[in-house]
C-alpha cells in the first residue's frame, strides 16, 4: 500500500491477530471548533468531546432582575399625558351628569313639597304651564295690594255666576285685592267677597260697574271715578289710592276684565296686578298701553275718607 506516494506495509501483531498500521499514531489536526464540537483526530476512537460554546450578549438568557415583575407599577413620568387628560375629562363629564341629575331630582322633590304645603305658605296654581304664586294671607297688610290669582286652587273651582272664579272671577278678585290694601283686613279674602257678590246679585250682571261701585260701598269702601288720563291716575296713585280698571283689547285680550293699578315705577311705568295672568302682572306698562284700552276706572279708599 502507498501513503502520500510512499509504499508502506501493514504489519500484524502476533499476539493479537490484528493488523497494525504503522501510521496509526499520526494525528490529523482538524479545526478546533466547529459548531461548538471538538473532533478527535484518532481514527479508531468512537468518542467525541463537546467543548463549551462561548455565549454572546445577543443570545444570553435574561437574568431574573431584567424581567419586569407583574407587581411593578409605572411611575407618573411613564404615563402618557394624553391618557391623563382623557381620564380627567371623563371624570368631569361624569360629575356634571351627576350634578344635573341631582338638580332634577331636587326640583321634583321641591315641587311635591310645595304642592303639599298647608295654608300660610306660598300658594301655587298652574295656568298655561306657569307656576302662579298668590300672596299668602299671612302677608296681607294695609297699604300693599296683594297678588291674588283666579287659578289659585283655594278658590279656582268655586262656582261664580254661571262659571267659576277661576274662569270668570276677575272682578271679585280685583275688589278683594283692593279692599285688603285699603283696610288691611285679612279675614275677608276672595272667597268671602265672591260669596257677598253672589248673594247680592252682582255676579249675574255682565257689566261690573255696579259691583265695583255699589258693591264696594257695601264692603266698606269709597269708590271714586277716575279720568283715563296720566295726570288723573298719577294723582290717585301718589295719594295711596289703588285704581281698578276695566280693560278690553290690546295685550289684555278681547274679553273685558278687571286689573288693579298699584303703583308707578321709577321709569314712569304703571305696576298692575292682573288676577288673570301672572305674566301681565310681572310686566310694567306705559300709561298709553293701559289707558287706551280702559273703559272705566275707580280709585278706592276707606268709606270714612272721602
Amino acid at each position: 500500500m502507498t501513503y502520500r506516494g510512499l509504499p508502506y506495509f501493514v504489519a500484524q501483531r502476533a499476539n493479537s491477530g490484528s493488523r497494525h498500521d504503522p501510521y496509526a499514531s499520526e494525528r490529523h489536526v482538524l479545526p478546533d471548533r466547529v459548531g461548538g464540537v471538538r473532533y478527535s483526530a484518532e481514527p479508531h476512537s468512537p468518542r467525541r468531546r463537546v467543548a463549551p460554546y462561548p455565549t454572546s450578549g445577543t443570545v444570553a438568557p435574561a437574568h431574573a432582575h431584567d424581567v419586569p415583575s407583574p407587581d411593578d407599577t409605572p411611575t407618573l413620568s411613564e404615563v402618557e399625558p394624553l391618557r391623563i387628560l382623557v381620564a380627567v375629562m371623563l371624570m368631569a363629564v361624569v360629575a356634571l351628569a351627576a350634578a344635573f341629575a341631582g338638580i332634577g331630582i331636587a326640583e321634583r322633590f321641591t315641587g311635591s313639597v310645595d304642592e303639599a304645603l298647608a295654608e300660610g305658605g306660598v300658594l301655587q296654581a298652574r295656568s298655561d304651564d306657569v307656576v302662579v304664586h298668590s300672596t299668602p294671607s299671612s302677608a296681607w297688610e294695609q297699604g300693599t295690594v296683594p297678588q291674588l290669582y283666579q287659578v289659585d286652587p283655594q278658590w279656582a273651582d268655586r262656582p261664580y255666576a254661571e262659571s267659576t272664579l277661576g274662569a270668570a272671577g276677575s272682578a271679585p278678585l280685583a275688589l278683594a285685592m283692593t279692599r285688603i290694601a285699603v283696610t288691611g283686613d285679612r279675614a275677608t279674602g276672595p272667597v268671602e267677597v265672591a260669596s257677598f257678590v253672589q248673594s247680592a246679585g252682582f255676579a249675574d250682571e255682565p257689566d261690573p260697574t255696579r259691583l265695583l261701585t255699589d258693591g264696594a260701598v257695601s264692603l266698606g269702601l269709597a269708590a271714586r271715578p277716575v279720568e283715563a288720563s296720566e295726570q288723573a291716575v298719577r294723582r290717585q296713585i301718589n295719594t295711596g289710592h289703588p285704581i281698578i280698571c276695566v280693560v278690553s283689547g290690546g295685550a289684555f285680550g278681547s274679553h273685558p276684565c278687571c286689573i288693579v293699578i298699584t303703583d308707578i315705577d321709577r321709569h314712569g311705568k304703571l305696576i298692575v296686578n292682573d288676577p288673570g295672568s301672572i305674566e301681565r302682572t310681572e310686566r310694567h306698562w306705559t300709561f298709553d298701553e293701559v289707558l287706551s284700552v280702559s273703559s272705566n276706572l275707580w280709585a278706592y279708599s276707606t268709606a270714612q275718607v272721602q
Side-chain angles (χ1 to χ4, degrees), residues 109-119 124:
F109 176 78
T110 303
S112 299
V113 172
D114 288 340
E115 291 176 0
L117 284 176
E119 184 177 359
Q124 299 183 351

Side-chain angles (χ1 to χ4, degrees), residues 69-80:
S69 171
D71 296 333
D72 291 342
T73 55
T75 61
L76 183 60
S77 61
E78 297 174 342
V79 180
E80 297 181 7

Side-chain angles (χ1 to χ4, degrees), residues 137-291:
S137 58
S138 59
W140 295 352
E141 60 183 0
Q142 188 174 13
T144 302
V145 181
Q147 295 179 1
L148 305 178
Y149 296 100
Q150 297 169 226
V151 293
D152 194 304
Q154 290 187 112
W155 49 71
D157 297 330
R158 187 179 184 86
Y160 179 76
E162 296 180 355
S163 184
T164 62
L165 281 177
S170 68
L173 263 293
L175 190 56
M177 284 190 281
T178 301
R179 188 181 185 280
I180 291 169
V182 171
T183 66
D185 182 12
R186 297 180 180 178
T188 305
V191 174
E192 291 75 22
V193 171
S195 297
F196 161 75
V197 172
Q198 288 275 79
S199 60
F202 296 119
D204 299 326
E205 299 178 7
D207 185 354
T209 298
R210 230 167 51 88
L211 167 61
L212 298 176
T213 53
D214 297 343
V217 171
S218 300
L219 290 170
L221 300 177
R224 183 182 300 106
V226 178
E227 180 185 350
S229 67
E230 180 176 345
Q231 183 179 3
V233 170
R234 282 185 178 274
R235 184 183 304 114
Q236 296 299 326
I237 295 299
N238 290 336
T239 55
H241 298 154
I243 299 173
I244 295 181
C245 301
V246 179
V247 294
S248 177
F252 295 95
S254 58
H255 298 287
C257 61
C258 296
I259 64 173
V260 183
I261 300 177
T262 66
D263 206 349
I264 301 173
D265 68 15
R266 61 189 182 92
H267 300 292
K269 291 187 175 182
L270 296 175
I271 300 174
V272 307
N273 283 6
D274 186 340
S277 172
I278 187 174
E279 293 86 357
R280 293 196 291 265
T281 297
E282 291 177 344
R283 175 186 167 184
H284 292 187
W285 304 79
T286 65
F287 279 86
D288 184 65
E289 286 175 321
V290 175
L291 299 180

